[in-house]
Amino acid sequence: RADSPDVSKTVLPVGFAVGMLNPSPFSVHAGDLAFSLALAGCPAEGEEETFGRVQLRAASLLPGWNRFNATGELRKRPDGSDSPCAARFLSNFVSGLPSNLSMLGVSSSHGVPLINRVMQGFSLSVQAPGVAGDLVSSITVKLLGVEEVLLHHRLHFRVLLRNPIAAEVEVMSLGMRIATRDSSGTRHPVGSLFQDFSGSPISIASLSTALTPPLCANVSNLLSPATAEAFVRAAASKAGAAVMAEGSATLRLARVFSVPLSLAQGPLPAFVEFADPGTCWG
């Protein structure tokens, strides 16, 4: 059917490490266990929306704590639209923030019948940590000449982006405000940008980096001569100038889920290059 979503574009394979406590002195051979995933408190009103499934194969619970490697998948809604709860969970994960998940027991086709009946009323609350690592790794400020900066208030930025997760990431949009601080700690804006890449996303392979093309940045307030000189001198050094980056991005994970991401990073290294004005991306 034409309105049936392509399964390959609606499912994101995932892996989980799950810890479970068996408080009894007995070992329990539970067979295959299956759980639906829900994000605690999502949606804010009504029953929690499930957006994924996790399965533990041939699980045996020994007395005490047990750790299992589980496989599963996150799914879009049946109509192929993004689940806002899945998007919030993935946004937390990529941002390095923990998420409180509910694992709701469901029947497994290969499970033990008695265990299957118990599982249907079983609920487990777990906290899933976020991944360590930031999206923006460094920034290169391309100075386009005195006239471009002073008269047109224009710079080009090239941003080194880092993918901290074990799946392909596509950057669909990027908006940033870049600022630096002088020797007294006063904050000074360097420039701001917003770029929509949806027509030609920037693809970053698993655990890799990618450099954006030159992006047009607006300079709302020119740095004072002394601050500009200090910034350029630091940015021309091997260590670069320390800057703060704030803004937002939209990512697409494994070509399946669109994920909003808030940026609040710093200090980051910024480097400077001199370039002809030319044209920038877009």
Side-chain angles (χ1 to χ4, degrees), residues 239-261:
V243 297
M244 286 67 68
E246 298 177 346
S248 62
T250 303
L251 309 180
R252 186 165 62 190
L253 271 58
R255 306 196 177 192
V256 177
F257 278 98
S258 291
V259 178
L261 183 66

Side-chain angles (χ1 to χ4, degrees), residues 5-86:
D6 182 347
V7 172
S8 66
K9 296 180 180 179
T10 62
V11 174
L12 177 65
V14 293
F16 287 89
V18 180
M20 298 182 68
L21 175 64
N22 176 7
S24 76
F26 307 104
S27 296
V28 178
H29 300 289
D32 290 354
L33 302 179
F35 302 87
S36 289
L37 288 177
L39 182 64
C42 187
E45 299 179 1
E47 185 178 353
E48 292 177 345
E49 178 183 73
T50 60
F51 55 83
R53 189 178 175 96
V54 173
Q55 189 148 15
L56 280 65
R57 298 284 187 185
S60 292
L61 297 174
L62 304 178
W65 277 102
N66 295 262
R67 183 181 176 87
F68 302 96
N69 291 321
T71 59
E73 58 191 25
L74 304 185
R75 285 185 172 273
K76 292 193 173 187
R77 287 172 165 172
D79 63 0
S81 64
D82 283 348
S83 160
C85 299

Side-chain angles (χ1 to χ4, degrees), residues 153 155 157 176-180 188-193 216-221 223 244 246:
H153 290 197
L155 296 170
F157 286 168
M176 291 197 308
R177 299 178 301 278
I178 310 299
T180 187
H188 300 277
V190 176
S192 62
L193 65 90
C216 279
N218 296 317
V219 182
S220 56
N221 297 295
L223 299 177
M244 286 67 68
E246 298 177 346

Side-chain angles (χ1 to χ4, degrees), residues 167-192:
E168 179 193 17
V169 162
E170 293 174 294
V171 181
M172 311 300 289
S173 69
L174 178 66
M176 291 197 308
R177 299 178 301 278
I178 310 299
T180 187
R181 296 187 188 275
D182 61 23
S183 57
S184 69
T186 303
R187 186 184 179 100
H188 300 277
V190 176
S192 62

Side-chain angles (χ1 to χ4, degrees), residues 140-155:
T140 298
V141 180
K142 301 180 80 68
L143 299 178
L144 309 175
V146 174
E147 180 179 338
E148 289 293 324
V149 176
L150 296 182
L151 297 183
H152 302 297
H153 290 197
R154 190 163 69 101
L155 296 170

Side-chain angles (χ1 to χ4, degrees), residues 58-275:
S60 292
L61 297 174
L62 304 178
W65 277 102
N66 295 262
R67 183 181 176 87
F68 302 96
N69 291 321
T71 59
E73 58 191 25
L74 304 185
R75 285 185 172 273
K76 292 193 173 187
R77 287 172 165 172
D79 63 0
S81 64
D82 283 348
S83 160
C85 299
R88 187 188 303 177
F89 164 65
L90 290 170
S91 180
N92 287 345
F93 178 73
V94 177
S95 300
L97 302 175
S99 293
N100 294 317
L101 296 177
S102 298
M103 296 178 61
L104 310 174
V106 295
S107 295
S108 171
S109 57
H110 300 288
V112 177
L114 176 61
I115 297 296
N116 269 343
R117 288 196 293 272
V118 173
M119 286 294 292
Q120 291 185 44
F122 183 82
S123 177
L124 179 67
S125 296
V126 298
Q127 186 175 82
V131 68
D134 294 317
L135 177 66
V136 178
S137 182
S138 67
I139 298 167
T140 298
V141 180
K142 301 180 80 68
L143 299 178
L144 309 175
V146 174
E147 180 179 338
E148 289 293 324
V149 176
L150 296 182
L151 297 183
H152 302 297
H153 290 197
R154 190 163 69 101
L155 296 170
H156 285 177
F157 286 168
R158 296 197 76 181
V159 183
L160 183 62
L161 301 171
R162 175 171 47 200
N163 176 7
I165 68 173
E168 179 193 17
V169 162
E170 293 174 294
V171 181
M172 311 300 289
S173 69
L174 178 66
M176 291 197 308
R177 299 178 301 278
I178 310 299
T180 187
R181 296 187 188 275
D182 61 23
S183 57
S184 69
T186 303
R187 186 184 179 100
H188 300 277
V190 176
S192 62
L193 65 90
F194 177 81
Q195 187 64 56
D196 182 357
F197 300 109
S198 57
S200 183
I202 296 177
S203 178
I204 315 177
S206 165
L207 305 174
S208 300
T209 59
L211 187 64
T212 71
L215 307 175
C216 279
N218 296 317
V219 182
S220 56
N221 297 295
L222 294 175
L223 299 177
S224 69
T227 303
E229 181 182 358
F231 175 78
V232 171
R233 184 183 298 113
S237 69
K238 185 176 181 179
V243 297
M244 286 67 68
E246 298 177 346
S248 62
T250 303
L251 309 180
R252 186 165 62 190
L253 271 58
R255 306 196 177 192
V256 177
F257 278 98
S258 291
V259 178
L261 183 66
S262 295
L263 302 176
Q265 295 180 221
L268 296 166
F271 305 95
V272 67
E273 292 179 357
F274 294 90

